[in-house]
Amino acid sequence: MQYGARIAVIGAGPSGLYAAAALLASGQPVGVEVLDRLPAPYGLVRYGVAPDHTKMKSVIRVLQKPFGPVEFLGGVQVGEDGIPLDVLREHFHAIVHATGSSVDRCLGVPGEELAGSHGSGAFVSWYCGHPDHIGLSPRLDHPGVVVVGAGNVALDVARVLAKSAEELTGTDVPDAVLDALRGSAVRDVHVLIRRGPQHVRFTPAELRQLGELAHADVLVHDDGLLAAGVEELEDRRQRQNLAMLVEWAASRKPTGKSRRVHLRLLRSPVRLLGTDGRVSGVVIERNTVDADGRVVGTGELETLDAGLVVRAIGYDAEPVAGLPFDERTGTVPNVGGRVVRDGVPVPGAYVTGWIKRGPSGVIGTNKSDAAETVAALLADLPDLTAPAHPQPAALRAALLAHGIHPVDWTAWLRLDAEEIRLGGERGAERLKVADLAAMLAAAHGAQVSP
Ligand SMILES: Cc1cc2nc3c(=O)[nH]c(=O)nc-3n(C[C@H](O)[C@H](O)[C@H](O)COP(=O)(O)OP(=O)(O)OC[C@H]3O[C@@H](n4cnc5c(N)ncnc54)[C@H](O)[C@@H]3O)c2cc1C
Ligand SMILES: NC(=O)c1ccc[n+]([C@@H]2O[C@H](COP(=O)([O-])OP(=O)(O)OC[C@H]3O[C@@H](n4cnc5c(N)ncnc54)[C@H](OP(=O)(O)O)[C@@H]3O)[C@@H](O)[C@H]2O)c1
């Protein structure tokens, strides 16, 4: 084979980059190209991990390692409005889909469509400077905010809203986001946890961080449940969460800090209230949990004053045109990373990361996940059909024919350097360039304004 097997990885998030690294490390004669719809790599590490989690973001040093031998083709949307999958298939022996889960799930309650009601995907993308969401302009002119969910994303959102702009100045958030947070009138952030303290999905380190906020008191609203004693839990992380919640419920009182984060256990939103088309409050219901851990509403209602609602209740993947999709799980059906249609493998099609297993797991989880997929692909390698156009130049021509001018690794490094330069002006390690045109200009070597 003149070029060895050519493999495309679609998505430059953790799973795609772990897959690229595993392919490279295999020692097999494979040429790997990583395509991403954005001019910047790293997926949710760049656009999801909270800006104040700077240590976590340093995983980028590991993720970038394959580039060089592995090519980066940024700004390449695969599918609608980009390069169709069918066209891409003519250039590669195999395609690893690593496009994540970017669709916000809905609560399915009345009023969800009101202005000021956002999914965490959109809201987090806004404060992380994602080019698709710079125009979100969340309503921060109201003292009350409701965050729905009991996972780490809910905690990230609550923490960012409870911090002062000064606490985030040293992070990579765009200036516009910092300005919005500086003008924030938010005082009370209500986190709605639909089940009990034994069911929260927080990482204890994230929960602990919430309790250490400089400008916000954390208050646990548990209807006396924790004082009455909750069964001992087997899982260590759940035990740690529970211990913290028990201690906070007993000891944390308002100390006069300017903001408060309310952890409201056994509460669900049943309706968002609106004034002039905007969220003005949330009707919530007290729940109980049955023996199987299922939520049962009690019919007891109260209303929280809120100008902003963020639902952090998980994500679905965007279906990939040309591949099967399981609407129930929001994933592409697969066996060990091999895409299957009606139980039969689709030749040359693989998945890894959130689109493979659903929207759960930390960055590191994607490493073993990608290893499994790559092992399947390498086992199939001898039987993969050679593509019609295996030459790299043919792919470039096909992209150009679709009006796509990819941002290569060198161009990304220019954008990277520009963000670091802009960060230096603010005393931060980096300042994200969020405007797509400005990102592309910086990738071509221009200095841009923050
Ligand atoms: C808000 C949030 C915060 C998180 N914080 C942490 C944390 O602090 N620590 C931690 O360990 N884990 C964290 N996680 C989990 C972690 O980010 C995920 O496990 C991981 O990013 C999933 O990797 P992925 O590669 O499957 O998807 P993603 O990271 O989403 O990457 C998918 C990539 O595919 C690209 N793409 C999508 N569609 C297309 C297309 N059609 N064509 C081309 N490219 C496309 C996207 O642009 C993106 O770059 C967080 C998750 C979220 C949602
Ligand atoms: N620092 C970090 O390590 C970090 C930071 C952010 C994210 N992550 C990871 O990224 C993944 C995704 O995080 P996530 O927070 O989006 O998801 P998650 O951990 O799955 O949490 C989702 C939460 O939403 C709740 N929920 C779902 N549907 C609901 C509804 N209709 N009404 C009310 N609540 C509802 C769930 O409650 P039930 O349990 O009752 O279903 C759950 O508490 C996780 O694996 C997480 O650990 C890690």
Side-chain angles (χ1 to χ4, degrees):
M1 233 180 282
Q2 193 188 351
Y3 295 97
R6 292 194 70 215
I7 319 279
V9 176
I10 307 175
S15 67
L17 296 183
Y18 281 129
L23 284 163
L24 205 60
S26 72
Q28 296 289 324
V30 290
V32 183
E33 300 186 45
V34 177
L35 288 63
D36 200 287
R37 59 184 291 265
L38 295 177
Y42 310 129
L44 284 169
V45 177
R46 184 174 156 93
Y47 292 118
V49 171
D52 56 348
H53 280 173
T54 36
K55 251 199 204 150
M56 186 60 68
K57 286 187 187 274
S58 64
V59 70
I60 280 174
R61 280 193 224 116
V62 176
L63 295 178
Q64 71 183 1
K65 279 190 179 156
F67 289 115
V70 167
E71 295 235 28
F72 178 57
L73 297 174
V76 181
Q77 163 96 26
V78 177
E80 214 181 316
D81 301 329
I83 181 117
L85 186 57
D86 281 352
V87 175
L88 215 55
R89 281 190 184 124
E90 294 170 5
H91 297 267
F92 292 97
H93 290 73
I95 296 180
V96 180
H97 298 266
T99 45
S101 313
S102 58
V103 179
D104 279 312
R105 284 193 188 141
C106 291
L107 285 162
V109 301
E112 202 169 0
E113 69 295 341
L114 287 164
S117 156
H118 307 284
S120 55
F123 188 76
V124 168
S125 293
W126 168 72
Y127 67 59
C128 285
H130 191 297
D132 288 357
H133 296 282
I134 45 170
L136 188 80
S137 303
R139 192 178 173 195
L140 302 175
D141 60 351
H142 202 91
V145 173
V146 165
V147 179
V148 187
N152 285 326
V153 174
L155 289 189
D156 279 348
V157 169
R159 194 179 66 254
V160 167
L161 285 166
K163 280 195 166 184
S164 66
E166 286 62 42
E167 288 173 286
L168 295 168
T169 305
T171 73
D172 63 6
V173 295
D175 275 351
V177 171
L178 210 52
D179 286 346
L181 293 172
R182 195 169 286 118
S184 168
V186 171
R187 292 292 169 263
D188 290 279
V189 181
H190 305 274
V191 180
L192 300 187
I193 299 166
R194 69 174 167 180
R195 296 194 287 160
Q198 61 277 56
H199 303 117
V200 297
R201 298 205 197 165
F202 310 138
T203 302
E206 282 250 344
L207 186 59
R208 192 169 304 112
Q209 219 186 341
L210 194 75
E212 292 165 353
L213 289 172
H215 302 295
D217 286 316
V218 176
L219 306 169
V220 178
H221 303 259
D222 68 321
D223 308 318
L225 188 78
L226 290 159
V230 178
E231 57 173 303
E232 188 61 21
L233 300 168
E234 271 180 33
D235 180 82
R236 186 173 55 87
R237 294 191 339 170
Q238 283 181 321
R239 273 204 312 275
Q240 289 174 342
N241 282 331
L242 190 58
M244 250 180 287
L245 292 171
V246 167
E247 192 211 316
W248 293 358
S251 64
R252 298 278 180 127
K253 306 279 179 267
T255 64
K257 289 182 181 177
S258 58
R259 288 177 176 154
R260 288 157 296 279
V261 177
H262 305 268
L263 299 178
R264 296 187 176 275
L265 292 157
L266 293 165
R267 294 294 186 279
S268 286
V270 291
R271 187 163 63 249
L272 274 57
L273 305 174
T275 307
D276 299 331
R278 304 204 61 117
V279 172
S280 58
V282 181
V283 178
I284 64 172
E285 181 175 21
R286 188 168 79 80
N287 301 323
T288 56
V289 178
D290 71 14
D292 297 324
R294 277 189 304 250
V295 174
V296 183
T298 64
E300 260 179 69
L301 303 178
E302 64 180 302
T303 301
L304 296 174
D305 181 59
L308 174 71
V309 173
V310 182
R311 49 182 200 278
I313 58 169
Y315 306 88
D316 285 322
E318 191 87 58
V320 181
L323 290 190
F325 191 71
D326 183 341
E327 297 285 349
R328 197 181 42 84
T329 58
T331 58
V332 170
N334 70 93
V335 176
R338 287 183 181 97
V339 175
V340 292
R341 192 191 301 277
D342 303 325
V344 179
V346 177
Y350 301 85
V351 280
T352 182
W354 279 16
I355 195 169
K356 169 185 175 187
R357 65 173 196 277
S360 73
V362 293
I363 293 163
T365 317
N366 300 293
K367 189 173 181 184
S368 47
D369 179 307
E372 180 190 54
T373 296
V374 167
L377 189 159
L378 292 174
D380 296 347
L381 209 53
D383 301 321
L384 292 175
T385 308
H389 310 293
Q391 308 83 351
L395 175 67
R396 302 297 182 278
L399 291 172
L400 280 179
H402 283 82
I404 299 169
H405 301 264
V407 170
D408 65 14
W409 186 245
T410 309
W412 152 248
L413 290 179
R414 283 195 286 266
L415 167 55
D416 185 44
E418 179 63 358
E419 290 193 337
I420 292 168
R421 184 189 72 77
L422 289 168
E425 290 179 354
R426 198 175 76 190
E429 232 173 80
R430 159 190 311 274
L431 190 162
K432 289 239 193 71
V433 177
D435 176 72
L436 188 59
M439 289 176 86
L440 293 173
H444 288 103
Q447 284 203 350
V448 296
S449 47

